Amino acid sequence: MDILIKPIVTEKMTDQGEKLNRYGFIVRREADKEQIKTAVEELYNVNVASVNTMVYGGKNKSRYTKAGVIKGKTTAYKKAVITLAEGDTIDFYSNI
């Protein structure tokens, strides 16, 4: 269960969930597709048809302050897009 960090709840992913039965998750960088599939199936009791993953590198950021320029970097993360089998859905809003 520590493979899935958090679900991605944005307008784009919500639209894909309604139309294409796809859901997005931020996952651990070391996790492979089989581990992600197993974690989603156990946590949400659904059948996963496919898993697509992508690794995002951190972006360089800088801002100007009174003390001078502060430079930093955002964190890198791995995103998984899960396509569920026909008839299965995930409701992220059920426990609100």
Side-chain angles (χ1 to χ4, degrees):
M1 190 155 129
D2 57 334
I3 292 174
L4 302 176
I5 297 173
K6 66 180 180 178
I8 301 173
V9 184
T10 59
E11 289 182 28
K12 184 175 182 179
M13 287 310 302
T14 304
D15 190 45
Q16 284 189 8
E18 293 170 357
K19 294 180 180 176
L20 303 173
N21 211 16
R22 287 184 174 175
Y23 300 91
F25 294 93
I26 303 293
V27 296
R28 294 183 57 122
R29 298 263 322 242
E30 309 85 43
D32 61 0
K33 292 183 180 185
E34 286 297 321
Q35 292 173 337
I36 295 167
K37 179 180 177 180
T38 307
V40 170
E41 287 177 344
E42 288 177 2
L43 187 62
Y44 294 105
N45 296 323
V46 293
N47 293 323
V48 176
S50 68
V51 178
N52 296 359
T53 60
M54 51 213 93
V55 177
Y56 288 92
K59 294 182 181 179
N60 291 321
K61 299 279 186 170
S62 64
R63 65 180 178 183
Y64 301 97
T65 64
K66 287 182 181 179
V69 178
I70 298 175
K71 294 183 180 181
K73 193 171 187 178
T74 60
T75 58
Y77 61 96
K78 186 173 191 175
K79 179 169 119 177
V81 179
I82 311 296
T83 304
L84 297 182
E86 200 63 36
D88 287 339
T89 59
I90 296 175
D91 186 17
F92 295 125
Y93 304 108
S94 63
N95 60 355
I96 293 178

